[in-house]
Amino acid sequence: MTSLAPLVEVRDVHKRFPVGGGLFGRARAWVHAVDGVSLTIHQGETLGLVGESGCGKSTLGRLILRLLEPTAGEVLFDGRSLLALSARELRAMRREMQIVFQDPYGSLNPRMRVASIVGEGLAIHRLGTRRERRARVDELLALVGLPPDAADRYPHEFSGGQRQRIGIARALAVRPRFIVADEAVSALDVSIQAQILNLLHDLQRQLGLTLLFIAHDLRVVEHMSDRVAIMYLGRIVECGPREEIYRNPRHPYTRTLLSAVPVPDPRRRKQRMVLGGDLPSPVRPPPGCAFHPRCGHALDVCRRDIPPLETGRGGHAVACHVFPAERVSAADG
Ligand code: SF4
């Protein structure tokens, strides 16, 4: 059950990266990776963040953890602005926020034993004695479904799914309240993906975690998420409760992504919509609605004005001139 208190609040966050210009030269252009995103993640909920590769979703995850500094905007964690924290306060806050990376091969140091990898955060934050840390490592390995002897082995001795379990144990070691899972299952086979998704889902419930689950595939986040946000070229274009997004998608981009998701029930079979063209360059985003060059519904206004993200009935927010959020009627309260 999701409580309503916000844990993470993102307020009009922008991130631009310079392009070209050499080591000391002036940037020739800017990549608009995140372009005015605002969103809230409530305590104990899972927010699925979905979009094509290059849409800015991983950058947004890192901005929330303050692994990157925003160009503008603010991120609040538990009501405190992360940008206002001193280095010491930020270090302490880092215990509360962890990340699980996409690549279970590249994200684990091959020269460290699993006990050291999982226990590294405990050592950095000086939590417990050596013996207590080792006991915590054993507890974590059991929690993520790895055998006790895993502690003394090296990452290369494990399969992809097992390595991702090690990555999850590492993230959980310091008892965080918030985890960003950044494409945490994308590098795994489909059958292994389901195991890791179930594990994350169970842990989230069991430990009362708040989760930002980043993926490029709507199918992956459906099972996990309480709410889903769709990102396109640096902006959130649709956001709402999971049932709303999957049953009543409004934005043409969301509808196209959903039409590619296989449905097992033949009575619900949908017509597949094909997304034409590539994601436009974030260096020169199209004017107006950035989706207009790929949208079959575009009007003149779409080529001219950026549609604002407006929230309608049931907390369902949409940024589209043609298919706006459904209005809250007087009867809705
Ligand atoms: Fe398509 Fe216009 Fe809606 Fe953008 S604003 S998604 S171009 S209809």
Side-chain angles (χ1 to χ4, degrees):
M1 182 81 182
T2 303
S3 109
L4 284 180
L7 184 64
V8 176
E9 293 168 83
V10 177
R11 294 183 181 166
D12 197 21
V13 162
H14 296 248
K15 180 65 184 176
R16 294 187 305 160
F17 294 104
V19 186
L23 197 52
F24 301 108
R26 292 229 327 256
R28 283 207 302 267
W30 295 88
V31 171
H32 301 253
V34 174
D35 203 4
V37 166
S38 297
L39 56 81
T40 300
I41 311 173
H42 301 103
Q43 310 248 18
E45 88 168 341
T46 298
L47 177 70
L49 180 62
V50 182
E52 286 166 276
S53 136
C55 73
K57 56 193 190 301
S58 292
T59 301
L60 180 59
R62 281 163 175 73
L63 289 165
I64 291 175
L65 296 174
R66 213 183 145 189
L67 297 173
L68 287 172
E69 298 288 316
T71 310
E74 193 176 28
V75 178
L76 275 69
F77 185 82
D78 209 9
R80 297 181 70 194
S81 169
L82 289 185
L83 293 175
L85 298 180
S86 66
R88 184 164 0 143
E89 288 171 323
L90 184 62
R91 257 198 311 281
M93 190 68 100
R94 284 257 150 82
R95 264 185 68 187
E96 314 240 358
M97 308 181 289
Q98 294 290 311
I99 184 164
V100 176
F101 293 100
Q102 170 178 4
D103 179 6
Y105 294 88
S107 64
L108 306 177
N109 186 334
R111 281 186 284 276
M112 283 167 75
R113 289 182 202 271
V114 169
S116 304
I117 292 172
V118 173
E120 198 176 18
L122 300 171
I124 289 171
H125 291 284
R126 298 202 183 96
L127 299 173
T129 62
R130 186 181 283 253
R131 184 188 289 240
E132 284 165 345
R133 292 203 286 265
R134 179 55 199 251
R136 173 82 179 132
V137 167
D138 291 344
E139 184 191 324
L140 285 158
L141 294 178
L143 193 63
V144 300
L146 287 169
D149 69 352
D152 297 316
R153 290 154 61 192
Y154 290 94
H156 73 266
E157 298 176 53
F158 296 89
S159 67
Q162 288 173 321
R163 287 183 207 207
Q164 202 51 299
R165 287 174 192 267
I166 297 168
I168 293 167
R170 173 176 61 184
L172 293 174
V174 292
R175 302 185 196 278
R177 295 163 69 195
F178 175 58
I179 289 187
V180 173
D182 185 9
E183 299 270 15
V185 299
S186 306
L188 305 174
D189 290 346
V190 173
S191 59
I192 309 295
Q193 278 188 1
Q195 291 174 18
I196 298 298
L197 287 173
N198 285 336
L199 172 68
L200 277 168
H201 192 53
D202 291 348
L203 290 171
Q204 188 264 333
R205 292 285 143 102
Q206 199 179 328
L207 306 174
L209 292 168
T210 304
L211 203 60
L212 176 64
F213 195 90
I214 298 173
H216 59 266
D217 184 342
L218 268 167
R219 174 185 56 86
V220 164
V221 301
E222 181 173 12
H223 172 63
M224 310 267 312
S225 307
D226 299 298
R227 286 187 307 130
V228 176
I230 317 294
M231 200 162 171
Y232 188 81
L233 217 61
R235 291 171 175 268
I236 303 291
V237 296
E238 185 155 13
C239 182
R242 175 187 53 188
E243 301 75 28
E244 260 298 298
I245 298 293
Y246 286 85
R247 286 208 204 115
N248 183 27
R250 302 277 300 164
H251 197 282
Y253 179 57
T254 312
R255 297 213 297 258
T256 311
L257 291 180
L258 270 174
S259 80
V261 174
V263 180
D265 181 351
R267 289 166 301 179
R268 282 178 59 207
R269 198 158 278 165
K270 309 155 292 190
Q271 199 185 352
R272 183 163 180 157
M273 294 149 77
V274 178
L275 196 55
D278 294 327
L279 192 69
S281 163
V283 175
R284 256 178 304 284
C289 170
F291 188 59
H292 84 250
R294 303 166 89 185
C295 181
H297 305 275
L299 305 175
D300 284 347
V301 65
C302 306
R303 298 180 190 94
R304 195 182 60 229
D305 300 336
I306 298 174
L309 183 68
E310 286 178 338
T311 305
R313 207 163 65 193
H316 188 163
V318 191
C320 179
H321 293 300
V322 179
F323 304 99
E326 288 173 322
R327 292 210 176 153
V328 182
S329 68
D332 292 323

